[in-house]
Amino acid sequence: MARPSRKDEILQAALACFTEHGVDATTIEMIRDRSGASIGSLYHHFGNKERIIAALYLAGTAQYADLLQRGFAEAGSAEACVKLLVTSYIDWVVANPDWARFILHSRSRVEAGELGDVLREANREHFARILAALAEYRRQGLFRSLPDDCFASVVIGPTQDLARNWLAGRTQSELGECRELLAQIAWESVKGGG
């Protein structure tokens, strides 16, 4: 396995600090101390704390997007693609709960910041890749007719809601144990025909 880059080490140190102290209470100095990087290195890679926040957010969502794209390459049916949207999300959240919690609570901050346009473009591209992966199945009528944004909410909405509650410690169910159930519910909610 490749050694993490200095930039990745800084991001992981930032995540640890944000998790322990909160985003607002974390300082550049705390991230520097945790990562072992110099202030010059931090500023070279990111420029400021807000850019670290945005970079960490974008890196996490990119990891999920990559996981999903690799899965689409192997999925051979409309059902497999829909279930993949749910299972990939759950798999990433369960493997990265602190990062998922950070993403959940930081979206509006990143959108309002100087890299908000980068986030919006990344989300637009991610959504376009999902729609492209499903396009032929939609043309074949294998999904019920729903507007694109509604389709996405129906598929992933219940999973995101349970994940949000699981991350906050408000569920009795383990998120990973609900993986197949939520994937099946998503499929049944959007499949076309009889």
Side-chain angles (χ1 to χ4, degrees):
M1 185 171 200
R3 184 183 183 284
S5 69
R6 173 49 96 192
K7 190 173 181 179
D8 290 336
E9 290 172 346
I10 293 168
L11 289 177
Q12 288 307 308
L15 178 59
C17 289
F18 295 154
T19 300
E20 289 174 25
H21 307 288
V23 173
D24 290 331
T26 296
T27 65
I28 287 284
E29 290 75 20
M30 293 164 92
I31 296 169
R32 179 202 62 211
D33 291 346
R34 185 71 167 249
S35 68
S38 68
I39 286 290
S41 181
L42 274 149
Y43 283 104
H44 167 75
H45 288 296
F46 301 103
N48 59 40
K49 181 176 146 182
E50 289 305 313
R51 285 187 178 181
I52 293 172
I53 292 167
L56 184 60
Y57 186 101
L58 290 165
T61 56
Q63 262 194 10
Y64 165 68
D66 290 344
L67 182 65
L68 193 57
Q69 283 308 118
R70 286 192 308 272
F72 280 145
E74 297 175 14
S77 69
E79 180 178 356
C81 286
V82 168
K83 288 181 173 182
L84 180 70
L85 288 165
V86 171
T87 58
S88 293
Y89 182 80
I90 290 173
D91 293 346
W92 190 86
V93 169
V94 168
N96 302 282
D98 290 338
W99 210 345
R101 223 175 267 108
F102 166 80
I103 288 171
L104 176 66
H105 297 294
S106 299
R107 180 178 180 142
S108 61
R109 185 175 185 150
V110 175
E111 283 181 330
E114 63 183 284
L115 296 178
D117 287 339
V118 174
L119 171 59
R120 283 183 284 280
E121 180 60 20
N123 286 340
R124 189 197 63 71
E125 289 174 4
H126 174 65
F127 192 55
R129 285 189 301 271
I130 291 171
L131 291 177
L134 302 176
E136 184 56 34
Y137 299 124
R138 290 181 94 181
R139 276 193 290 278
Q140 294 173 21
L142 298 176
F143 298 124
R144 73 175 49 196
S145 180
L146 295 168
D148 292 343
D149 50 358
C150 185
F151 182 92
S153 292
V154 168
V155 169
I156 202 69
T159 299
Q160 286 179 330
D161 187 59
L162 183 62
R164 185 176 298 111
N165 286 310
W166 179 76
L167 289 166
R170 294 189 299 254
T171 64
Q172 292 180 349
S173 301
E174 282 299 318
L175 182 61
E177 292 173 6
C178 298
R179 184 180 187 271
E180 299 307 318
L181 172 65
L182 288 166
Q184 186 62 36
I185 289 168
W187 169 242
E188 290 173 5
S189 297
V190 297
K191 70 179 177 181

